[in-house]
Amino acid sequence: MRKRTRVFAYTLSLLMFGICWTAPASADPVQPPTMHGKSAVLLDGSTGQLLYQYNPAVRNYPASTTKLLTALVAMEHGQLNQPITVSEQAVNKPWDSASCYISAHETQPLEYLMYGMLLPSGNDCADAIGEGVAKGDVNQFVAWMNETAVAAGATNSHFTNANGLHDPNHYTTALDLALIARAAFNNPHVRKIAGTKAFDWPGKETNGTYYNLDSLLWNYEGTVGGKTGFTEEAGHTLVNAAERNGLRLIAVGMGYQDKASEYQDVTALLDWGFDQFARGELLSPGKVLTEVPVVDGTAATVPAVVPQPFAAAVAKVNGQAPNLRQTFKPNSNLAAPVQPGEQVGTVEVWEGNRLLQSLPLVAQTGVASTPVALIKRGAGVLSIFLTWLSYIGSALLISIVLLRMIAVVRRRRRLAAQRIALRLQQRSLRQGSTYK
């Protein structure tokens, strides 16, 4: 009895020891750092997920961070090798305006002007780009800016110029600015230029070397690119994108009184994001998401999958993607036969009221038609054939009747003409006999 008791106690102690070592350590998510500006957001650059928000919809002035949008529009409507002649209006700026010191009437390729705009934040380069890409129609370029902003999801913004100098009607929000930056950094040309530390302008001997004003390019690991901005009305504004282990984060801080606090907050926000989130696959091509009903099939439904994966930022603590939901939209009245890989609907990934991604749903397997359906389909084809055959027969019958009627009419006309000719001949004979 004692031996059994000792064995039981020993076994129990081993089990408890194993439980203590195998149970995952509980962890609570770390709270994000305190922000000191007017507004800030942290965005997943791949999906547009909003991972952190502080006054995200408060209207602010973007200052020179506007130039990310200018660069994106320039790439949508222009070419890097496109020559642009600088106007006097483009270089006519206040003495304290950021400038690349280009000259009126000189011609430069769009690429060089892009470097001058995004690195030292030259307002002269920005205006030259707006004028040149739109063939002198600055209003058209501004219209493109607003259209591109809306397409990026920035629906609470309005832009009036290409440089970001203060205008009461030139405004955005931290969330909108992050969405614009996401679209800009998705463009390979904008991403390359905005992520360049220094640029030597070919052929420009005076003031020809330009350095990127975003110091995080040198000081923060994984920085993809960024853009600074400042006016008296806007304060200091910073946009920065960084990527680690496949997770790209975009941090925005707006309305800071000093640059040091702005960089400190944006750095802390990026650190928090990389510490709390990782890139995780939410939708996998091999995972059945839903069953789509099939009409007249050997199976009532077909399993639906996505043809490509969808990855998003997931919390490291619980492996969940915050605030995301899926909705399925199957094709209505999907009829057999269904081929493997055929699109049978869509799946949408939402964050609140914002659509982040829409992916096709495709059939994982095929579904054949039932024999009854084949018979119905065959009967339907036969019915269509007979209907067309009846149409053709009717047309032929009508044609025959018409041809017969035409022949009768022609025959009657011919007989009538013969009668008239005979009468004339008889009359002529009678007249001839009278004269004799």
Side-chain angles (χ1 to χ4, degrees):
M1 181 68 180
R2 290 179 178 177
K3 184 177 180 180
R4 292 180 179 177
T5 302
R6 285 197 300 271
V7 171
F8 176 78
Y10 180 72
T11 304
L12 181 61
S13 64
L14 286 177
L15 288 172
M16 292 300 296
F17 182 80
I19 291 173
C20 292
W21 278 93
T22 57
S26 61
D28 295 325
V30 177
Q31 293 300 313
T34 301
M35 297 288 105
H36 301 89
K38 290 183 179 180
S39 60
V41 299
L42 183 69
L43 212 66
D44 177 357
S46 298
T47 64
Q49 289 169 263
L50 186 57
L51 304 178
Y52 170 82
Q53 55 181 318
Y54 169 63
N55 296 332
V58 171
R59 185 178 295 181
N60 288 300
Y61 301 119
S64 283
T65 56
T66 298
K67 290 162 183 166
L68 285 175
L69 177 58
T70 301
L72 179 58
V73 172
M75 290 297 91
E76 290 176 344
H77 296 275
Q79 300 292 331
L80 285 176
N81 60 357
Q82 174 181 343
I84 292 178
T85 301
V86 181
S87 71
E88 293 185 3
Q89 185 177 356
V91 300
N92 185 18
K93 294 290 182 292
W95 67 270
D96 57 346
S97 173
S99 177
C100 288
Y101 303 101
I102 53 178
S103 302
H105 310 300
E106 69 174 294
T107 299
Q108 296 287 350
L110 175 58
E111 181 181 11
Y112 296 174
L113 294 171
M114 290 270 287
Y115 277 103
M117 176 180 67
L118 292 181
L119 272 64
S121 202
N123 293 322
D124 48 357
C125 292
D127 282 357
I129 289 172
E131 293 175 355
V133 172
K135 311 300 182 184
D137 189 349
V138 178
N139 291 331
Q140 177 62 72
F141 191 86
V142 171
W144 287 337
M145 290 176 67
N146 286 291
E147 291 171 3
T148 298
V150 171
T155 57
N156 295 314
S157 302
H158 186 260
F159 299 91
T160 61
N161 59 64
N163 53 54
L165 290 174
H166 180 67
D167 184 323
N169 293 318
H170 187 99
Y171 56 84
T172 188
T173 67
L175 176 57
D176 279 9
L177 185 54
L179 292 171
I180 291 169
R182 173 179 175 245
F185 290 128
N186 281 338
N187 183 284
H189 300 303
V190 178
R191 184 171 63 249
K192 175 186 176 183
I193 296 173
T196 299
K197 293 180 179 179
F199 174 68
D200 292 320
W201 193 309
K204 204 169 189 298
E205 298 178 358
T206 305
N207 298 312
T209 300
Y210 299 107
Y211 298 93
N212 200 313
L213 297 180
D214 181 12
S215 62
L216 292 183
L217 277 171
W218 286 270
N219 302 325
Y220 194 82
E221 178 188 354
T223 292
V224 174
K227 187 70 192 75
T228 60
F230 172 78
T231 63
E232 292 292 340
E233 296 82 2
H236 291 275
T237 295
L238 176 63
V239 179
N240 198 82
E243 186 171 339
R244 297 178 186 174
N245 299 320
L247 177 64
R248 178 178 295 178
L249 298 179
I250 297 175
V252 173
M254 301 190 74
Y256 279 80
Q257 294 183 356
D258 61 273
K259 186 180 293 186
S261 297
E262 175 186 59
Y263 274 94
Q264 180 179 346
D265 280 6
V266 169
T267 300
L269 194 55
L270 287 169
D271 284 342
W272 174 81
F274 286 120
D275 182 64
Q276 295 300 304
F277 298 96
R279 182 175 172 82
E281 190 173 282
L282 297 186
L283 302 180
S284 171
K287 181 181 178 181
V288 176
L289 298 179
T290 187
E291 296 280 340
V292 177
V294 179
V295 178
D296 294 334
T298 54
T301 61
V302 61
V305 299
V306 289
Q308 61 193 48
F310 173 75
V314 297
K316 292 182 178 180
V317 172
N318 55 25
Q320 299 295 317
N323 305 321
L324 296 191
R325 59 183 175 88
Q326 302 169 11
T327 59
F328 302 103
K329 294 184 176 181
N331 290 353
S332 59
N333 299 321
L334 179 65
V338 178
Q339 302 299 325
E342 178 182 342
Q343 183 168 349
V344 295
T346 57
V347 55
E348 296 178 341
V349 182
W350 293 81
E351 182 184 48
N353 294 323
R354 287 200 306 132
L355 176 63
L356 297 183
Q357 190 78 28
S358 179
L359 296 171
L361 284 172
V362 299
Q364 187 185 49
T365 59
V367 177
S369 300
T370 62
V372 174
L374 290 174
I375 293 173
K376 289 181 178 178
R377 192 172 294 117
V381 172
L382 180 60
S383 176
I384 293 173
F385 174 75
L386 292 176
T387 300
W388 277 102
L389 190 60
S390 67
Y391 289 158
I392 295 172
S394 299
L396 288 174
L397 181 60
I398 292 172
S399 298
I400 293 172
V401 172
L402 288 175
L403 290 173
R404 182 62 179 171
M405 291 176 63
I406 292 172
V408 170
V409 170
R410 287 179 176 175
R411 183 181 177 184
R412 288 179 178 177
R413 287 180 177 176
R414 187 167 57 252
L415 291 174
Q418 290 176 354
R419 292 192 192 99
I420 294 172
L422 181 60
R423 290 174 183 173
L424 290 174
Q425 185 179 9
Q426 291 176 349
R427 183 181 300 174
S428 177
L429 291 174
R430 286 198 299 269
Q431 291 177 349
S433 61
T434 302
Y435 290 121
K436 287 180 180 180

PDB file of all heavy atoms in Angstrom, residues 325-337:
ATOM      1  N   ARG A 325     -12.272  41.265 -39.616  1.00  0.00           N
ATOM      2  CA  ARG A 325     -13.363  40.313 -39.824  1.00  0.00           C
ATOM      3  C   ARG A 325     -13.445  39.993 -41.314  1.00  0.00           C
ATOM      4  O   ARG A 325     -12.990  40.761 -42.157  1.00  0.00           O
ATOM      5  CB  ARG A 325     -14.695  40.872 -39.324  1.00  0.00           C
ATOM      6  CG  ARG A 325     -15.109  42.176 -39.988  1.00  0.00           C
ATOM      7  CD  ARG A 325     -16.395  42.736 -39.400  1.00  0.00           C
ATOM      8  NE  ARG A 325     -16.717  44.034 -39.957  1.00  0.00           N
ATOM      9  CZ  ARG A 325     -17.429  44.218 -41.055  1.00  0.00           C
ATOM     10  NH1 ARG A 325     -17.886  43.159 -41.732  1.00  0.00           N
ATOM     11  NH2 ARG A 325     -17.687  45.422 -41.518  1.00  0.00           N
ATOM     12  N   GLN A 326     -14.040  38.837 -41.598  1.00  0.00           N
ATOM     13  CA  GLN A 326     -14.177  38.389 -42.982  1.00  0.00           C
ATOM     14  C   GLN A 326     -15.654  38.293 -43.350  1.00  0.00           C
ATOM     15  O   GLN A 326     -16.479  37.901 -42.522  1.00  0.00           O
ATOM     16  CB  GLN A 326     -13.526  37.012 -43.167  1.00  0.00           C
ATOM     17  CG  GLN A 326     -12.062  36.964 -42.809  1.00  0.00           C
ATOM     18  CD  GLN A 326     -11.534  35.545 -42.747  1.00  0.00           C
ATOM     19  OE1 GLN A 326     -12.219  34.613 -43.171  1.00  0.00           O
ATOM     20  NE2 GLN A 326     -10.340  35.374 -42.221  1.00  0.00           N
ATOM     21  N   THR A 327     -15.958  38.652 -44.557  1.00  0.00           N
ATOM     22  CA  THR A 327     -17.298  38.448 -45.094  1.00  0.00           C
ATOM     23  C   THR A 327     -17.174  37.711 -46.418  1.00  0.00           C
ATOM     24  O   THR A 327     -16.255  37.959 -47.202  1.00  0.00           O
ATOM     25  CB  THR A 327     -18.041  39.778 -45.314  1.00  0.00           C
ATOM     26  OG1 THR A 327     -17.295  40.601 -46.231  1.00  0.00           O
ATOM     27  CG2 THR A 327     -18.219  40.535 -43.999  1.00  0.00           C
ATOM     28  N   PHE A 328     -18.111  36.786 -46.654  1.00  0.00           N
ATOM     29  CA  PHE A 328     -18.079  35.983 -47.863  1.00  0.00           C
ATOM     30  C   PHE A 328     -19.242  36.368 -48.767  1.00  0.00           C
ATOM     31  O   PHE A 328     -20.367  36.557 -48.293  1.00  0.00           O
ATOM     32  CB  PHE A 328     -18.151  34.490 -47.525  1.00  0.00           C
ATOM     33  CG  PHE A 328     -17.050  34.034 -46.619  1.00  0.00           C
ATOM     34  CD1 PHE A 328     -17.284  33.815 -45.277  1.00  0.00           C
ATOM     35  CD2 PHE A 328     -15.781  33.836 -47.119  1.00  0.00           C
ATOM     36  CE1 PHE A 328     -16.268  33.402 -44.437  1.00  0.00           C
ATOM     37  CE2 PHE A 328     -14.756  33.417 -46.297  1.00  0.00           C
ATOM     38  CZ  PHE A 328     -14.995  33.200 -44.941  1.00  0.00           C
ATOM     39  N   LYS A 329     -18.956  36.476 -50.048  1.00  0.00           N
ATOM     40  CA  LYS A 329     -19.973  36.796 -51.048  1.00  0.00           C
ATOM     41  C   LYS A 329     -19.951  35.722 -52.129  1.00  0.00           C
ATOM     42  O   LYS A 329     -19.242  35.856 -53.141  1.00  0.00           O
ATOM     43  CB  LYS A 329     -19.735  38.179 -51.647  1.00  0.00           C
ATOM     44  CG  LYS A 329     -19.921  39.317 -50.658  1.00  0.00           C
ATOM     45  CD  LYS A 329     -19.770  40.671 -51.333  1.00  0.00           C
ATOM     46  CE  LYS A 329     -20.053  41.809 -50.364  1.00  0.00           C
ATOM     47  NZ  LYS A 329     -19.930  43.133 -51.019  1.00  0.00           N
ATOM     48  N   PRO A 330     -20.704  34.611 -51.935  1.00  0.00           N
ATOM     49  CA  PRO A 330     -20.703  33.551 -52.947  1.00  0.00           C
ATOM     50  C   PRO A 330     -21.472  33.971 -54.188  1.00  0.00           C
ATOM     51  O   PRO A 330     -22.386  34.795 -54.131  1.00  0.00           O
ATOM     52  CB  PRO A 330     -21.399  32.388 -52.231  1.00  0.00           C
ATOM     53  CG  PRO A 330     -22.268  33.048 -51.214  1.00  0.00           C
ATOM     54  CD  PRO A 330     -21.538  34.281 -50.771  1.00  0.00           C
ATOM     55  N   ASN A 331     -21.103  33.412 -55.315  1.00  0.00           N
ATOM     56  CA  ASN A 331     -21.846  33.652 -56.549  1.00  0.00           C
ATOM     57  C   ASN A 331     -23.249  33.070 -56.406  1.00  0.00           C
ATOM     58  O   ASN A 331     -23.418  31.933 -55.952  1.00  0.00           O
ATOM     59  CB  ASN A 331     -21.146  32.997 -57.742  1.00  0.00           C
ATOM     60  CG  ASN A 331     -19.848  33.692 -58.089  1.00  0.00           C
ATOM     61  OD1 ASN A 331     -19.515  34.732 -57.534  1.00  0.00           O
ATOM     62  ND2 ASN A 331     -19.090  33.105 -59.005  1.00  0.00           N
ATOM     63  N   SER A 332     -24.242  33.848 -56.774  1.00  0.00           N
ATOM     64  CA  SER A 332     -25.622  33.371 -56.682  1.00  0.00           C
ATOM     65  C   SER A 332     -25.936  32.460 -57.867  1.00  0.00           C
ATOM     66  O   SER A 332     -25.454  32.663 -58.982  1.00  0.00           O
ATOM     67  CB  SER A 332     -26.593  34.547 -56.653  1.00  0.00           C
ATOM     68  OG  SER A 332     -26.460  35.345 -57.811  1.00  0.00           O
ATOM     69  N   ASN A 333     -26.749  31.426 -57.582  1.00  0.00           N
ATOM     70  CA  ASN A 333     -27.194  30.484 -58.618  1.00  0.00           C
ATOM     71  C   ASN A 333     -26.017  29.849 -59.361  1.00  0.00           C
ATOM     72  O   ASN A 333     -26.021  29.736 -60.591  1.00  0.00           O
ATOM     73  CB  ASN A 333     -28.136  31.162 -59.615  1.00  0.00           C
ATOM     74  CG  ASN A 333     -29.400  31.682 -58.946  1.00  0.00           C
ATOM     75  OD1 ASN A 333     -29.946  31.027 -58.052  1.00  0.00           O
ATOM     76  ND2 ASN A 333     -29.858  32.852 -59.356  1.00  0.00           N
ATOM     77  N   LEU A 334     -24.992  29.448 -58.606  1.00  0.00           N
ATOM     78  CA  LEU A 334     -23.854  28.758 -59.202  1.00  0.00           C
ATOM     79  C   LEU A 334     -24.306  27.375 -59.660  1.00  0.00           C
ATOM     80  O   LEU A 334     -24.755  26.558 -58.855  1.00  0.00           O
ATOM     81  CB  LEU A 334     -22.721  28.639 -58.187  1.00  0.00           C
ATOM     82  CG  LEU A 334     -21.463  27.906 -58.656  1.00  0.00           C
ATOM     83  CD1 LEU A 334     -20.774  28.678 -59.780  1.00  0.00           C
ATOM     84  CD2 LEU A 334     -20.501  27.695 -57.486  1.00  0.00           C
ATOM     85  N   ALA A 335     -24.214  27.097 -60.940  1.00  0.00           N
ATOM     86  CA  ALA A 335     -24.724  25.853 -61.515  1.00  0.00           C
ATOM     87  C   ALA A 335     -23.578  24.944 -61.926  1.00  0.00           C
ATOM     88  O   ALA A 335     -22.535  25.408 -62.405  1.00  0.00           O
ATOM     89  CB  ALA A 335     -25.626  26.137 -62.711  1.00  0.00           C
ATOM     90  N   ALA A 336     -23.787  23.645 -61.725  1.00  0.00           N
ATOM     91  CA  ALA A 336     -22.831  22.649 -62.178  1.00  0.00           C
ATOM     92  C   ALA A 336     -22.875  22.565 -63.714  1.00  0.00           C
ATOM     93  O   ALA A 336     -23.897  22.896 -64.320  1.00  0.00           O
ATOM     94  CB  ALA A 336     -23.159  21.300 -61.549  1.00  0.00           C
ATOM     95  N   PRO A 337     -21.787  22.174 -64.351  1.00  0.00           N
ATOM     96  CA  PRO A 337     -20.538  21.716 -63.732  1.00  0.00           C
ATOM     97  C   PRO A 337     -19.654  22.874 -63.262  1.00  0.00           C
ATOM     98  O   PRO A 337     -19.638  23.937 -63.882  1.00  0.00           O
ATOM     99  CB  PRO A 337     -19.854  20.949 -64.860  1.00  0.00           C
ATOM    100  CG  PRO A 337     -20.330  21.643 -66.109  1.00  0.00           C
ATOM    101  CD  PRO A 337     -21.766  22.041 -65.821  1.00  0.00           C
TER     102      PRO A 337
END
